[in-house]
Amino acid sequence: MFRPTLQRTRTRTVFGMMELIYHSAVRDIRKSHRNALLGLMLNIFQTLLFVLSFYAMFMLLGMRGAAVRGDFLLYIMSGIFLYMCHTKAMGAIVQSEGPASAMMQHAPMNTVIAICAAALSSLYLQILSILVVLFFYHVIFTPVYIHDPIGALGMIILSWFSGCAVGTIFLAIKPWLPEFAKIGSSIYGRVNMIASGKMFVANALPATMLAMFDWNPLFHCIDQMRGYVFENYHPYNSNISYPIKVAIVLVVLGLLGEFYTRRHASASWNAAR
């Protein structure tokens, strides 16, 4: 007699949590700027600025010959897009509402919902920015041809997921060591400017240099991304399983640390900060 009622209650709870995540994600998107459209345009402008800066650097340094055969600007964008997804996702998770935040005083709200909302808002902004940039590049300059669009989208989502995983680690550390978490996440983002491998082709690296980059999940995502984007590039120095395994382990460790932190949270933590 009680099973249908219990099932309806669980279903209602799941849909209620999804609705709360949706509204929290909308709040996170609008939090960056008063005008949501202007906030999106700023994110698109930042992506374009990265692409143009790296294009100018490649041209000035004469590194164009190191790229794969195909559209050179698409080669640059394939690395920039994944780097932006990874870094923005990590930053969004680190800056999400913590256990001592005022938002946690509302009964339905908890840190898991805040983390999911921050991650989804970051993914929404980055996917929309990528589509807008590719659309205008396709219409104004040259038609965009992607060998395997589904695989390329999968690499974008994997880079976003691995960024969220790294972000949960810094989020768990943040209440205990806020300055360390802030500086550590900033250093990680700067290191990935080089360590992500977006400026070179992994297949062209010697074994001694490859060992300096293959620890990075984003390095594998970008190299696999170029295998899906370009028909004549076949990555053999990277794989998909490594970033998936690393991201899952980091998410588990980060959530365990966050749950422990939530149990010891105190409103006085932020009193002196």
mmCIF file of all heavy atoms in Angstrom, residues 46-80:
data_model
loop_
_atom_site.group_PDB
_atom_site.id
_atom_site.type_symbol
_atom_site.label_atom_id
_atom_site.label_comp_id
_atom_site.label_asym_id
_atom_site.label_seq_id
_atom_site.Cartn_x
_atom_site.Cartn_y
_atom_site.Cartn_z
ATOM 1 N N GLN A 46 36.065 36.983 -24.641
ATOM 2 C CA GLN A 46 37.248 36.400 -24.015
ATOM 3 C C GLN A 46 37.762 35.207 -24.811
ATOM 4 O O GLN A 46 38.978 35.045 -25.001
ATOM 5 C CB GLN A 46 36.915 35.979 -22.589
ATOM 6 C CG GLN A 46 38.120 35.521 -21.791
ATOM 7 C CD GLN A 46 37.765 35.133 -20.366
ATOM 8 O OE1 GLN A 46 36.598 35.000 -20.031
ATOM 9 N NE2 GLN A 46 38.759 34.945 -19.531
ATOM 10 N N THR A 47 36.854 34.372 -25.303
ATOM 11 C CA THR A 47 37.249 33.229 -26.130
ATOM 12 C C THR A 47 37.909 33.697 -27.423
ATOM 13 O O THR A 47 38.949 33.175 -27.832
ATOM 14 C CB THR A 47 36.014 32.361 -26.454
ATOM 15 O OG1 THR A 47 35.386 31.962 -25.236
ATOM 16 C CG2 THR A 47 36.419 31.120 -27.226
ATOM 17 N N LEU A 48 37.307 34.700 -28.075
ATOM 18 C CA LEU A 48 37.880 35.244 -29.317
ATOM 19 C C LEU A 48 39.258 35.848 -29.069
ATOM 20 O O LEU A 48 40.164 35.698 -29.893
ATOM 21 C CB LEU A 48 36.943 36.297 -29.903
ATOM 22 C CG LEU A 48 35.729 35.799 -30.673
ATOM 23 C CD1 LEU A 48 34.827 36.970 -31.058
ATOM 24 C CD2 LEU A 48 36.142 35.033 -31.929
ATOM 25 N N LEU A 49 39.411 36.533 -27.933
ATOM 26 C CA LEU A 49 40.700 37.149 -27.613
ATOM 27 C C LEU A 49 41.778 36.088 -27.451
ATOM 28 O O LEU A 49 42.911 36.263 -27.934
ATOM 29 C CB LEU A 49 40.556 37.969 -26.327
ATOM 30 C CG LEU A 49 41.745 38.847 -25.945
ATOM 31 C CD1 LEU A 49 41.991 39.902 -27.015
ATOM 32 C CD2 LEU A 49 41.496 39.515 -24.600
ATOM 33 N N PHE A 50 41.456 34.969 -26.812
ATOM 34 C CA PHE A 50 42.404 33.866 -26.677
ATOM 35 C C PHE A 50 42.788 33.316 -28.052
ATOM 36 O O PHE A 50 43.972 33.084 -28.335
ATOM 37 C CB PHE A 50 41.792 32.756 -25.822
ATOM 38 C CG PHE A 50 42.205 32.798 -24.386
ATOM 39 C CD1 PHE A 50 41.479 33.523 -23.465
ATOM 40 C CD2 PHE A 50 43.324 32.104 -23.953
ATOM 41 C CE1 PHE A 50 41.855 33.564 -22.133
ATOM 42 C CE2 PHE A 50 43.705 32.132 -22.626
ATOM 43 C CZ PHE A 50 42.963 32.870 -21.707
ATOM 44 N N VAL A 51 41.799 33.084 -28.899
ATOM 45 C CA VAL A 51 42.054 32.517 -30.222
ATOM 46 C C VAL A 51 42.948 33.443 -31.044
ATOM 47 O O VAL A 51 43.939 33.006 -31.650
ATOM 48 C CB VAL A 51 40.726 32.237 -30.955
ATOM 49 C CG1 VAL A 51 40.988 31.843 -32.402
ATOM 50 C CG2 VAL A 51 39.947 31.144 -30.249
ATOM 51 N N LEU A 52 42.627 34.727 -31.084
ATOM 52 C CA LEU A 52 43.407 35.686 -31.867
ATOM 53 C C LEU A 52 44.812 35.853 -31.304
ATOM 54 O O LEU A 52 45.776 36.000 -32.069
ATOM 55 C CB LEU A 52 42.684 37.033 -31.912
ATOM 56 C CG LEU A 52 41.347 37.051 -32.660
ATOM 57 C CD1 LEU A 52 40.687 38.418 -32.558
ATOM 58 C CD2 LEU A 52 41.546 36.666 -34.129
ATOM 59 N N SER A 53 44.946 35.817 -29.984
ATOM 60 C CA SER A 53 46.276 35.952 -29.374
ATOM 61 C C SER A 53 47.167 34.779 -29.746
ATOM 62 O O SER A 53 48.340 34.968 -30.121
ATOM 63 C CB SER A 53 46.142 36.057 -27.850
ATOM 64 O OG SER A 53 45.375 37.169 -27.482
ATOM 65 N N PHE A 54 46.633 33.562 -29.667
ATOM 66 C CA PHE A 54 47.435 32.393 -30.019
ATOM 67 C C PHE A 54 47.707 32.332 -31.518
ATOM 68 O O PHE A 54 48.770 31.871 -31.938
ATOM 69 C CB PHE A 54 46.737 31.115 -29.537
ATOM 70 C CG PHE A 54 47.044 30.778 -28.112
ATOM 71 C CD1 PHE A 54 46.292 31.328 -27.081
ATOM 72 C CD2 PHE A 54 48.094 29.940 -27.788
ATOM 73 C CE1 PHE A 54 46.578 31.029 -25.764
ATOM 74 C CE2 PHE A 54 48.387 29.645 -26.466
ATOM 75 C CZ PHE A 54 47.623 30.186 -25.450
ATOM 76 N N TYR A 55 46.752 32.788 -32.321
ATOM 77 C CA TYR A 55 46.983 32.828 -33.767
ATOM 78 C C TYR A 55 48.135 33.769 -34.094
ATOM 79 O O TYR A 55 49.032 33.430 -34.889
ATOM 80 C CB TYR A 55 45.707 33.274 -34.481
ATOM 81 C CG TYR A 55 45.842 33.351 -35.983
ATOM 82 C CD1 TYR A 55 45.800 32.195 -36.764
ATOM 83 C CD2 TYR A 55 46.024 34.573 -36.623
ATOM 84 C CE1 TYR A 55 45.928 32.259 -38.140
ATOM 85 C CE2 TYR A 55 46.150 34.652 -37.999
ATOM 86 C CZ TYR A 55 46.103 33.494 -38.750
ATOM 87 O OH TYR A 55 46.231 33.561 -40.118
ATOM 88 N N ALA A 56 48.138 34.961 -33.475
ATOM 89 C CA ALA A 56 49.221 35.922 -33.707
ATOM 90 C C ALA A 56 50.554 35.368 -33.220
ATOM 91 O O ALA A 56 51.591 35.530 -33.879
ATOM 92 C CB ALA A 56 48.894 37.236 -33.004
ATOM 93 N N MET A 57 50.552 34.681 -32.075
ATOM 94 C CA MET A 57 51.786 34.112 -31.549
ATOM 95 C C MET A 57 52.334 33.016 -32.466
ATOM 96 O O MET A 57 53.545 32.964 -32.732
ATOM 97 C CB MET A 57 51.531 33.550 -30.151
ATOM 98 C CG MET A 57 52.783 33.037 -29.450
ATOM 99 S SD MET A 57 52.442 32.322 -27.843
ATOM 100 C CE MET A 57 51.533 30.860 -28.316
ATOM 101 N N PHE A 58 51.459 32.164 -32.974
ATOM 102 C CA PHE A 58 51.894 31.114 -33.900
ATOM 103 C C PHE A 58 52.493 31.713 -35.162
ATOM 104 O O PHE A 58 53.494 31.219 -35.688
ATOM 105 C CB PHE A 58 50.700 30.213 -34.262
ATOM 106 C CG PHE A 58 50.531 29.034 -33.356
ATOM 107 C CD1 PHE A 58 49.997 29.193 -32.092
ATOM 108 C CD2 PHE A 58 50.906 27.768 -33.763
ATOM 109 C CE1 PHE A 58 49.840 28.109 -31.247
ATOM 110 C CE2 PHE A 58 50.742 26.671 -32.917
ATOM 111 C CZ PHE A 58 50.217 26.849 -31.658
ATOM 112 N N MET A 59 51.881 32.769 -35.671
ATOM 113 C CA MET A 59 52.360 33.387 -36.901
ATOM 114 C C MET A 59 53.702 34.086 -36.678
ATOM 115 O O MET A 59 54.605 34.001 -37.519
ATOM 116 C CB MET A 59 51.330 34.384 -37.423
ATOM 117 C CG MET A 59 49.999 33.756 -37.813
ATOM 118 S SD MET A 59 50.145 32.487 -39.102
ATOM 119 C CE MET A 59 50.620 33.490 -40.504
ATOM 120 N N LEU A 60 53.856 34.788 -35.549
ATOM 121 C CA LEU A 60 55.095 35.522 -35.280
ATOM 122 C C LEU A 60 56.267 34.578 -35.004
ATOM 123 O O LEU A 60 57.392 34.849 -35.418
ATOM 124 C CB LEU A 60 54.893 36.458 -34.090
ATOM 125 C CG LEU A 60 53.996 37.679 -34.334
ATOM 126 C CD1 LEU A 60 53.759 38.444 -33.041
ATOM 127 C CD2 LEU A 60 54.618 38.606 -35.377
ATOM 128 N N LEU A 61 55.987 33.486 -34.306
ATOM 129 C CA LEU A 61 57.050 32.541 -33.962
ATOM 130 C C LEU A 61 57.304 31.504 -35.053
ATOM 131 O O LEU A 61 58.203 30.675 -34.923
ATOM 132 C CB LEU A 61 56.714 31.818 -32.648
ATOM 133 C CG LEU A 61 56.618 32.700 -31.401
ATOM 134 C CD1 LEU A 61 56.252 31.877 -30.179
ATOM 135 C CD2 LEU A 61 57.940 33.439 -31.165
ATOM 136 N N GLY A 62 56.495 31.522 -36.108
ATOM 137 C CA GLY A 62 56.682 30.572 -37.203
ATOM 138 C C GLY A 62 56.387 29.142 -36.820
ATOM 139 O O GLY A 62 57.031 28.213 -37.307
ATOM 140 N N MET A 63 55.382 28.949 -35.946
ATOM 141 C CA MET A 63 55.048 27.603 -35.462
ATOM 142 C C MET A 63 53.896 26.980 -36.233
ATOM 143 O O MET A 63 53.374 25.949 -35.851
ATOM 144 C CB MET A 63 54.684 27.657 -33.975
ATOM 145 C CG MET A 63 55.803 28.133 -33.085
ATOM 146 S SD MET A 63 55.259 28.422 -31.377
ATOM 147 C CE MET A 63 54.712 26.795 -30.911
ATOM 148 N N ARG A 64 53.514 27.600 -37.346
ATOM 149 C CA ARG A 64 52.370 27.084 -38.082
ATOM 150 C C ARG A 64 52.646 25.705 -38.673
ATOM 151 O O ARG A 64 51.737 24.879 -38.830
ATOM 152 C CB ARG A 64 51.993 28.066 -39.183
ATOM 153 C CG ARG A 64 50.744 27.678 -39.938
ATOM 154 C CD ARG A 64 50.192 28.822 -40.743
ATOM 155 N NE ARG A 64 48.980 28.426 -41.449
ATOM 156 C CZ ARG A 64 48.184 29.265 -42.086
ATOM 157 N NH1 ARG A 64 48.475 30.552 -42.104
ATOM 158 N NH2 ARG A 64 47.102 28.831 -42.701
ATOM 159 N N GLY A 65 53.886 25.430 -39.002
ATOM 160 C CA GLY A 65 54.220 24.137 -39.596
ATOM 161 C C GLY A 65 54.068 22.979 -38.629
ATOM 162 O O GLY A 65 54.021 21.823 -39.036
ATOM 163 N N ALA A 66 54.003 23.284 -37.311
ATOM 164 C CA ALA A 66 53.861 22.219 -36.316
ATOM 165 C C ALA A 66 52.430 21.736 -36.172
ATOM 166 O O ALA A 66 52.178 20.767 -35.466
ATOM 167 C CB ALA A 66 54.360 22.715 -34.956
ATOM 168 N N ALA A 67 51.483 22.419 -36.815
ATOM 169 C CA ALA A 67 50.072 22.041 -36.695
ATOM 170 C C ALA A 67 49.756 20.864 -37.602
ATOM 171 O O ALA A 67 50.542 20.471 -38.468
ATOM 172 C CB ALA A 67 49.193 23.233 -37.045
ATOM 173 N N VAL A 68 48.575 20.297 -37.429
ATOM 174 C CA VAL A 68 48.133 19.192 -38.263
ATOM 175 C C VAL A 68 47.646 19.732 -39.594
ATOM 176 O O VAL A 68 47.347 20.918 -39.745
ATOM 177 C CB VAL A 68 47.009 18.395 -37.561
ATOM 178 C CG1 VAL A 68 47.500 17.806 -36.268
ATOM 179 C CG2 VAL A 68 45.793 19.280 -37.312
ATOM 180 N N ARG A 69 47.548 18.854 -40.581
ATOM 181 C CA ARG A 69 47.019 19.268 -41.887
ATOM 182 C C ARG A 69 45.531 19.557 -41.772
ATOM 183 O O ARG A 69 44.770 18.750 -41.259
ATOM 184 C CB ARG A 69 47.272 18.178 -42.929
ATOM 185 C CG ARG A 69 48.730 18.080 -43.373
ATOM 186 C CD ARG A 69 48.857 17.094 -44.512
ATOM 187 N NE ARG A 69 48.449 15.756 -44.102
ATOM 188 C CZ ARG A 69 48.209 14.756 -44.940
ATOM 189 N NH1 ARG A 69 48.310 14.958 -46.249
ATOM 190 N NH2 ARG A 69 47.867 13.568 -44.484
ATOM 191 N N GLY A 70 45.130 20.700 -42.242
ATOM 192 C CA GLY A 70 43.732 21.104 -42.158
ATOM 193 C C GLY A 70 43.631 22.585 -41.845
ATOM 194 O O GLY A 70 44.587 23.349 -42.028
ATOM 195 N N ASP A 71 42.483 23.008 -41.386
ATOM 196 C CA ASP A 71 42.235 24.406 -41.055
ATOM 197 C C ASP A 71 43.073 24.793 -39.838
ATOM 198 O O ASP A 71 42.874 24.264 -38.739
ATOM 199 C CB ASP A 71 40.742 24.608 -40.770
ATOM 200 C CG ASP A 71 40.359 26.079 -40.697
ATOM 201 O OD1 ASP A 71 41.248 26.911 -40.413
ATOM 202 O OD2 ASP A 71 39.181 26.395 -40.939
ATOM 203 N N PHE A 72 43.994 25.744 -40.037
ATOM 204 C CA PHE A 72 44.915 26.123 -38.960
ATOM 205 C C PHE A 72 44.178 26.804 -37.806
ATOM 206 O O PHE A 72 44.463 26.538 -36.630
ATOM 207 C CB PHE A 72 46.001 27.051 -39.505
ATOM 208 C CG PHE A 72 46.959 27.546 -38.467
ATOM 209 C CD1 PHE A 72 47.798 26.662 -37.806
ATOM 210 C CD2 PHE A 72 47.013 28.894 -38.129
ATOM 211 C CE1 PHE A 72 48.679 27.111 -36.836
ATOM 212 C CE2 PHE A 72 47.898 29.348 -37.167
ATOM 213 C CZ PHE A 72 48.729 28.459 -36.521
ATOM 214 N N LEU A 73 43.215 27.673 -38.122
ATOM 215 C CA LEU A 73 42.477 28.362 -37.072
ATOM 216 C C LEU A 73 41.587 27.395 -36.288
ATOM 217 O O LEU A 73 41.401 27.543 -35.073
ATOM 218 C CB LEU A 73 41.639 29.493 -37.672
ATOM 219 C CG LEU A 73 41.263 30.644 -36.733
ATOM 220 C CD1 LEU A 73 42.505 31.238 -36.098
ATOM 221 C CD2 LEU A 73 40.491 31.715 -37.477
ATOM 222 N N LEU A 74 41.067 26.390 -36.965
ATOM 223 C CA LEU A 74 40.278 25.364 -36.277
ATOM 224 C C LEU A 74 41.168 24.537 -35.350
ATOM 225 O O LEU A 74 40.729 24.094 -34.283
ATOM 226 C CB LEU A 74 39.585 24.468 -37.297
ATOM 227 C CG LEU A 74 38.494 23.534 -36.776
ATOM 228 C CD1 LEU A 74 37.369 24.326 -36.136
ATOM 229 C CD2 LEU A 74 37.945 22.666 -37.903
ATOM 230 N N TYR A 75 42.422 24.347 -35.748
ATOM 231 C CA TYR A 75 43.395 23.657 -34.900
ATOM 232 C C TYR A 75 43.621 24.441 -33.607
ATOM 233 O O TYR A 75 43.663 23.860 -32.508
ATOM 234 C CB TYR A 75 44.705 23.496 -35.671
ATOM 235 C CG TYR A 75 45.909 23.168 -34.826
ATOM 236 C CD1 TYR A 75 46.143 21.879 -34.381
ATOM 237 C CD2 TYR A 75 46.824 24.172 -34.476
ATOM 238 C CE1 TYR A 75 47.258 21.585 -33.600
ATOM 239 C CE2 TYR A 75 47.930 23.884 -33.702
ATOM 240 C CZ TYR A 75 48.143 22.595 -33.268
ATOM 241 O OH TYR A 75 49.238 22.301 -32.497
ATOM 242 N N ILE A 76 43.741 25.760 -33.719
ATOM 243 C CA ILE A 76 43.925 26.596 -32.532
ATOM 244 C C ILE A 76 42.677 26.576 -31.664
ATOM 245 O O ILE A 76 42.749 26.432 -30.441
ATOM 246 C CB ILE A 76 44.286 28.042 -32.951
ATOM 247 C CG1 ILE A 76 45.653 28.067 -33.634
ATOM 248 C CG2 ILE A 76 44.284 28.969 -31.745
ATOM 249 C CD1 ILE A 76 46.058 29.433 -34.137
ATOM 250 N N MET A 77 41.507 26.704 -32.308
ATOM 251 C CA MET A 77 40.261 26.747 -31.547
ATOM 252 C C MET A 77 39.991 25.435 -30.822
ATOM 253 O O MET A 77 39.423 25.435 -29.723
ATOM 254 C CB MET A 77 39.091 27.094 -32.475
ATOM 255 C CG MET A 77 39.071 28.547 -32.919
ATOM 256 S SD MET A 77 37.543 29.038 -33.756
ATOM 257 C CE MET A 77 37.753 28.205 -35.328
ATOM 258 N N SER A 78 40.402 24.315 -31.402
ATOM 259 C CA SER A 78 40.164 23.025 -30.743
ATOM 260 C C SER A 78 40.875 22.941 -29.400
ATOM 261 O O SER A 78 40.377 22.301 -28.462
ATOM 262 C CB SER A 78 40.617 21.883 -31.658
ATOM 263 O OG SER A 78 42.022 21.947 -31.886
ATOM 264 N N GLY A 79 42.030 23.599 -29.278
ATOM 265 C CA GLY A 79 42.740 23.624 -28.002
ATOM 266 C C GLY A 79 42.192 24.679 -27.055
ATOM 267 O O GLY A 79 42.026 24.427 -25.861
ATOM 268 N N ILE A 80 41.881 25.871 -27.599
ATOM 269 C CA ILE A 80 41.384 26.964 -26.763
ATOM 270 C C ILE A 80 40.032 26.618 -26.155
ATOM 271 O O ILE A 80 39.777 26.877 -24.977
ATOM 272 C CB ILE A 80 41.282 28.257 -27.590
ATOM 273 C CG1 ILE A 80 42.669 28.710 -28.065
ATOM 274 C CG2 ILE A 80 40.610 29.364 -26.779
ATOM 275 C CD1 ILE A 80 43.596 29.118 -26.957
#
